[in-house]
């Protein structure tokens, strides 16, 4: 018997329940992990609310955590009990004391990286890796726009951009968040509550605008993102924090400069162990070298049973960087 967070219907944070559950032994290609730290991601709120409906109800929640291997399935070749591991993209249920994870979703965790650092950065760091290194490879000295620069993904992107020698312009919602983004490595920030995003991008680039915009906000920033792009530019729309973009008129892309738009996800870039190893190795190397620093504020660490409060805090946009659940 173990404990987990479960929901029986889609809705607000109050649908999350703290329950006992019986966990089966891992299947032949699964690894049972005793979670030590669990990553909270904005996509978890989409699953809970029903924007991305769970496959079946009742359902567990969460896809990312770090911990210790307890048991392995009969066909598992890469892991053994006692190994320190981290995972993302797992089947729903990471908000739990124990979770069975397919071995292809797991990575061995270097000793130089703590469980909390790993759980706070793995999904977000892999996201930044595919965005900046694969979807549109950012070049040294290139100026580009990244929305929500003081969020969990954004602060890693600021640091990664600096490590690449690129110039990240980050949108933020307050002076405090601007300071955090600049300290993390943002070249410039735009307070979207006080400034016109596209106008400031044009000013910061001497009227040239940018080749690529990375947008996890969605509906509220769609027009500003398009207007920040130079001719033939690319809008990488990878999230819906303000709601999904709907009713797109493709002729607008023509009118604004024969623009490109893509809607990628991590699942489209990491589909097997080889791809996971490549991306995670690059991420771990930057964390171990301190080029990327992962620090979770104490007030953003929640007891596992307090997941509902963690979601309320996340959705209030009161957080910066990453948040964790601790079993």
């Amino acid at each position: 018997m173990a404990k987990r967070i479960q929901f029986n219907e889609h809705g607000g944070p109050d649908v999350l329940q703290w329950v006992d559950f019986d966990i089966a032994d891992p299947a032949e290609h699964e690894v049972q992990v005793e979670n030590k730290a669990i990553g909270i991601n904005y996509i978890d709120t989409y699953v809970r609310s029903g924007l991305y409906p769970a496959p079946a109800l009742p359902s567990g929640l969460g896809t990312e955590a770090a911990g210790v291997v307890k048991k392995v399935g009969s066909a598992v070749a890469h892991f053994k009990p006692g190994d320190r591991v981290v995972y993302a993209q797992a089947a729903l249920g990471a908000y739990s004391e124990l979770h069975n994870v397919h071995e292809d979703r797991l990575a061995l965790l270097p000793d130089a990286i703590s469980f909390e650092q790993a759980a706070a950065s793995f999904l977000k760091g892999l996201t930044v890796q595919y965005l900046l290194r694969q979807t549109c490879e950012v070049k040294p000295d290139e100026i580009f726009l990244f929305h929500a620069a003081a969020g969990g993904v954004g602060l890693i992107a600021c640091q990664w951009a600096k490590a690449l020698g690129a110039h990240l312009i980050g949108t933020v919602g307050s002076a405090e968040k601007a300071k955090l983004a600049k300290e993390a490595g943002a070249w410039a920030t735009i307070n979207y509550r006080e400034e016109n995003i596209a106008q400031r991008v044009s000013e910061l680039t001497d009227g040239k605008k940018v080749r690529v915009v990375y947008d996890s906000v969605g509906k509220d920033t769609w027009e500003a993102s398009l207007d920040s792009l130079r001719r033939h530019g690319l809008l990488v729309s990878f999230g819906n924090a303000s709601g999904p973009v709907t009713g797109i008129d493709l002729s607008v892309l023509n009118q604004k400069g024969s623009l490109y738009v893509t809607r990628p996800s991590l699942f489209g870039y990491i589909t097997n162990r080889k791809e996971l190893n490549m991306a995670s190795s690059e991420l771990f190397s930057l964390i171990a070298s301190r080029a990327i620093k992962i620090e979770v504020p104490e007030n953003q660490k929640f007891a596992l049973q307090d997941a509902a409060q963690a979601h309320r805090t996340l959705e209030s946009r009161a957080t910066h960087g990453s948040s964790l659940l601790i079993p």
Side-chain angles (χ1 to χ4, degrees):
M1 187 75 72
K3 288 277 198 178
R4 75 167 183 172
I5 294 294
Q6 177 178 294
F7 60 103
N8 300 320
E9 60 181 337
H10 293 292
D14 290 343
V15 302
L16 300 180
Q17 301 174 343
W18 177 238
V19 301
D20 294 315
F21 80 112
D22 291 315
I23 185 165
D25 285 335
E28 62 175 357
H29 286 287
E30 287 184 335
V31 172
Q32 187 172 104
V33 180
E34 180 182 3
N35 292 330
K36 300 296 186 182
I38 300 160
I40 304 172
N41 296 285
Y42 216 93
I43 194 172
D44 301 343
T45 70
Y46 300 160
V47 175
R48 185 211 71 223
S49 70
L51 179 63
Y52 298 167
L57 296 174
S59 174
L61 189 61
T63 62
E64 174 187 38
V68 177
V69 174
K70 298 296 287 182
K71 300 178 182 178
V72 298
S74 59
V76 170
H78 302 287
F79 303 95
K80 65 184 185 302
D83 282 345
R84 301 173 77 249
V85 293
V86 60
Y87 61 86
Q89 300 178 282
L92 290 175
Y95 285 21
S96 61
E97 293 174 335
L98 297 171
H99 193 33
N100 291 338
V101 181
H102 195 283
E103 63 176 329
D104 284 349
R105 302 301 185 196
L106 280 167
L108 286 169
L109 183 61
D111 290 339
I113 301 173
S114 72
F115 293 124
E116 290 191 2
Q117 287 176 312
S121 66
F122 198 50
L123 183 64
K124 298 172 184 70
L126 293 178
T127 297
V128 174
Q129 197 280 337
Y130 89 74
L131 290 171
L132 302 192
R133 306 289 286 151
Q134 298 188 67
T135 303
C136 182
E137 187 174 357
V138 172
K139 307 296 184 185
D141 295 321
E142 177 170 13
I143 302 173
F144 66 97
L145 180 64
F146 202 102
H147 287 291
V153 173
L155 287 177
I156 293 175
C158 289
Q159 296 176 80
W160 207 313
K162 184 178 180 180
L164 292 171
H167 303 307
L168 181 149
I169 302 172
T171 66
V172 295
S174 69
E176 178 192 7
K177 291 190 174 184
K179 182 173 183 288
L180 290 168
K182 291 293 288 290
E183 288 173 348
W187 177 70
T189 59
I190 299 171
N191 186 333
Y192 63 81
R193 299 183 191 278
E194 300 174 355
E195 300 174 282
N196 180 290
I197 293 172
Q199 181 180 324
R200 280 296 293 145
V201 168
S202 182
E203 291 169 358
L204 289 164
T205 58
D206 296 326
K208 296 175 182 177
K209 302 187 179 182
V210 295
R211 178 176 69 107
V212 60
V213 174
Y214 298 95
D215 189 340
S216 62
V217 178
K219 177 172 64 70
D220 288 355
T221 49
W222 170 254
E223 289 289 340
S225 292
L226 293 178
D227 290 339
S228 297
L229 288 166
R230 66 181 61 156
R231 186 167 61 98
H232 303 169
L234 172 65
L235 170 53
V236 182
S237 176
F238 68 101
N240 315 291
S242 67
V245 178
T246 58
I248 298 170
D249 178 359
L250 290 179
S251 68
V252 171
L253 303 180
N254 172 35
Q255 296 162 13
K256 292 183 181 292
S258 297
L259 303 178
Y260 296 86
V261 176
T262 185
R263 182 61 173 87
S265 75
L266 187 59
F267 288 96
Y269 283 86
I270 296 182
T271 63
N272 55 49
R273 172 156 295 282
K274 180 179 178 182
E275 292 171 347
L276 177 62
N277 286 343
M278 180 275 294
S280 61
S281 293
E282 188 171 6
L283 172 64
F284 290 157
S285 138
L286 288 168
I287 295 174
S289 71
R290 302 283 288 171
I292 291 178
K293 298 176 183 177
I294 306 299
E295 298 170 351
V296 180
E298 287 301 318
N299 65 352
Q300 289 177 210
K301 297 178 186 178
F302 301 86
L304 176 55
Q305 58 264 38
D306 295 332
Q309 181 56 41
H311 275 218
R312 290 187 198 97
T313 305
L314 183 67
E315 290 178 302
S316 74
R317 300 198 180 184
T319 64
H320 61 266
S322 298
S323 299
L324 293 175
L325 296 172
I326 307 297

